[in-house]
């Protein structure tokens, strides 16, 4: 399939107007499956563009904050309808720029729609609470208020769903936004903003600035008019944003990496566990923060598990994500390819046993993309770098454990704490695991992947800072809770009792 978009140029969106960057510079985005194919030219924005976008968001802030929340929600419902109409086009855009299999991309569109639907309904809730006052004739209640101008900084691996799950709650809560997508995946971002524009979002409420993190992202973090930052990406950058944003007294939410483990106990149903691990490790080419990068297998089932794991991994088909028959697509960029190959080299040097895969795929159409075989290391030790660092590619490390307690020790022995899973039929062991797993999300008899939009999403330790995304917590992040006391007594009141 060839889709020649070389001549198409995409713009920033500031104050309700599609416009060029003040730099006058463009940068190309290529298809990771066919790296000679340029899918579009995008604005290489400068700090001045971010500054203009912040000013536009600031101008729109009070009008949007005073728009009744149900009306804000109504615009999201319209966006949902438009997204449904454009769903196929959006999935193709995701696969074109990010590379993931088209079925995964369609799933991502669905996930974006789910969060918009959920956030739209929240326009009729955004509950505060009332509580009895300790004083007579006094009403005490809380109300939610928007933060103001919020920066949305998103990664390339879910170029539609992650922005949607930040933007939709932020909008319904009444914030105005400057959205900076990953420089590698701005096409989905442009389409998402077009959808909100068509849905009737007032000018300045959502502003898009594409380009490098160094110029645009830093401006957003530093600018005093920006009251909140919601970021998803690497632990390194998220830690720096948390530190600097906190110093500047901003609200900061960072969703970062993972090193997620699936534990397979002796009584596990392998018909569930093996496909769960294969999908968790190699689905989306391992490029998701909830990917399964470790499998910890109890001794008694180890050989049987490995045999089945190898057979199912061998059966995976690899190729262009646009070809619906492929299970595993290319990595998203040359940088990703280099990093993954480097980690495979490190694992071998560290003494882990390369049991499956480990090579870049070459020849024919593979030469045009960033393909690496699904890779399995065994005999991995917990102090190895491949056991501790996020690789963000199709690389699975397998460990052996003598019992649940040892498996939990291995699982928890990393800095990250995003997601984990246990495969067992035993309720006692499942609950023991749930109570001791150091991760923000725990799955039983299901892969480490994903989550539902009305449940909180996020992790412990190096996996995240600030309030959780999604679920009711997601709306807490995008609002300030204000406590209100109303004295409606007829005359003067004794204040001394009011502490
Ligand atoms: C998912 O795994 O379903 O960056 C979503 C990431 C996560 C989102 C993952 N923040 O991969």
């Amino acid at each position: 399939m060839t889709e020649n978009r070389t001549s198409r140029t995409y713009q920033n969106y500031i104050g309700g107007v599609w416009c060029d960057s003040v730099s006058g510079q463009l940068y190309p985005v290529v298809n990771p499956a066919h790296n000679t194919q340029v899918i579009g030219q995008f604005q290489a924005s400068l700090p001045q563009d971010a500054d203009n976008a912040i000013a536009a968001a600031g101008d729109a802030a009070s009008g949007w904050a005073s728009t009744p929340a149900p009306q804000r929600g109504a615009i999201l419902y319209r966006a949902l309808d438009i997204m449904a109409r454009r769903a196929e086009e959006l999935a193709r855009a995701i696969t074109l720029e990010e590379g993931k299999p088209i079925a995964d991309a369609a799933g991502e569109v669905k996930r974006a729609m789910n969060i918009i639907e959920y956030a739209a309904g929240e326009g009729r809730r955004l509950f505060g609470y009332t509580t009895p006052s300790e004083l007579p004739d006094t009403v005490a209640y809380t109300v939610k208020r928007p933060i103001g101008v919020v920066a949305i900084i998103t990664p390339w691996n879910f170029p539609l769903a992650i922005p949607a799950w930040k933007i939709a709650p932020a909008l319904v809560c009444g914030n105005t936004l400057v959205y900076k997508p990953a420089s590698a995946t701005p096409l989905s971002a442009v389409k998402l903003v077009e959808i909100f524009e068509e849905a009737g979002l007032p000018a300045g409420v959502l502003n898009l600035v594409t380009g490098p993190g160094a110029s645009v992202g830093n401006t957003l973090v530093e600018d005093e008019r920006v009251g909140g930052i919601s970021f998803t990406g690497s632990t390194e950058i998220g830690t720096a944003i948390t530190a600097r944003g906190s110093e500047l007294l901003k609200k900061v939410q960072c969703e970062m990496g993972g090193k997620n483990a699936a534990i397979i106990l002796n009584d596990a149903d392998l018909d569930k566990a093996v496909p769960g691990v294969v999908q968790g490790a190699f689905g989306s080419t391992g490029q998701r923060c909830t990917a399964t990068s470790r499998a910890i297998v109890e001794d008694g089932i180890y050989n049987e598990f490995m045999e089945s794991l190898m057979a199912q991994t061998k059966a995976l088909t690899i190729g262009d994500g646009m070809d619906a028959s492929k299970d595993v697509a290319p990595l998203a960029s040359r940088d990703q390819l280099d990093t993954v190959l480097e980690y495979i080299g490190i694992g071998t040097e560290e003494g882990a046993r390369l049991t499956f895969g480990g090579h870049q795929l070459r020849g024919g159409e593979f030469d045009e993309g960033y393909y690496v075989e699904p890779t399995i290391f065994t005999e991995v030790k917990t102090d190895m770098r491949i056991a501790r660092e996020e690789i963000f590619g199709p690389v699975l490390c397998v460990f052996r454990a003598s019992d649940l307690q040892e498996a939990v020790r291995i699982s928890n022995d990393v800095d990250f704490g995003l997601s984990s899973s246990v495969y067992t039929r035993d309720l006692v062991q499942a609950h023991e695991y749930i109570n001791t797993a150091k991760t923000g999300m725990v799955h039983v008899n299901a892969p480490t992947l994903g989550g539902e939009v009305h449940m909180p999403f996020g992790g412990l330790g190096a996996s995240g800072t600030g309030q959780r995304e999604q679920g009711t917590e997601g709306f807490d992040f995008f609002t300030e809770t204000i406590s209100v006391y109303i004295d409606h007594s007829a005359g003067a009141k004794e204040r001394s009792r009011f502490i």
Side-chain angles (χ1 to χ4, degrees), residues 269-331:
D269 178 351
L270 286 185
D271 289 342
K272 270 186 165 176
V274 177
V277 170
V278 169
Q279 190 199 355
F282 307 127
S284 302
T285 323
Q287 299 177 121
R288 64 198 280 184
C289 60
T290 59
T292 309
S293 56
R294 299 178 295 152
I296 306 168
V297 189
E298 201 174 359
D299 277 332
I301 202 168
Y302 186 86
N303 290 342
E304 205 186 331
F305 172 83
M306 281 309 295
E307 199 178 307
S308 175
L309 175 71
M310 301 281 274
Q312 291 188 34
T313 304
K314 209 173 273 178
L316 294 172
T317 55
I318 305 168
D320 184 346
M322 280 295 180
D323 176 347
S325 71
K326 304 298 181 193
D327 303 310
V328 180
L331 290 157

Side-chain angles (χ1 to χ4, degrees), residues 90 99 175 208 282 305 367 439 496 498:
L90 289 166
N175 300 284
L208 171 72
F282 307 127
F305 172 83
D367 287 341
T439 56
S496 61
F498 194 77

Side-chain angles (χ1 to χ4, degrees), residues 130-131 133 135-141 484-488:
T130 62
T131 179
S133 166
L135 294 174
D137 297 327
T138 299
V139 175
Y141 66 93
V484 182
Y485 301 95
I486 301 175
D487 175 350
H488 57 86

Side-chain angles (χ1 to χ4, degrees), residues 111 155 157-158 161-162 165-166 232-233 255-257 287-291 390 392 418 441 448-451 457 469-470:
R111 187 127 167 222
N157 66 328
F158 280 83
I162 291 177
W165 83 45
K166 294 177 189 292
T232 296
E255 214 281 285
M256 309 187 290
Q287 299 177 121
R288 64 198 280 184
C289 60
T290 59
E390 185 177 48
F392 227 57
L418 187 59
M441 295 174 286
T448 57
L449 301 172
F457 183 101
E469 302 188 284
Q470 306 180 67

Side-chain angles (χ1 to χ4, degrees), residues 380-446:
V380 182
K381 304 276 179 305
T382 52
D383 59 355
M384 293 178 178
R385 285 184 60 194
I386 56 164
R388 313 192 68 81
E389 297 175 18
E390 185 177 48
I391 299 175
F392 227 57
V395 180
L396 177 70
C397 295
V398 183
F399 299 77
R400 288 180 87 119
S402 54
D403 55 18
L404 172 65
Q405 290 68 32
E406 192 189 4
V408 170
R409 267 197 304 280
I410 295 170
S411 176
N412 288 343
D413 188 12
V414 289
D415 295 333
F416 294 106
L418 187 59
S419 180
S420 60
S421 77
V422 67
Y423 286 87
T424 178
R425 292 178 166 106
D426 181 332
L427 214 49
V428 176
Q429 298 213 85
H431 279 276
E432 182 173 338
Y433 181 68
I434 292 165
N435 292 336
T436 49
K438 288 198 187 143
T439 56
M441 295 174 286
V442 180
H443 300 264
V444 176
N445 295 326

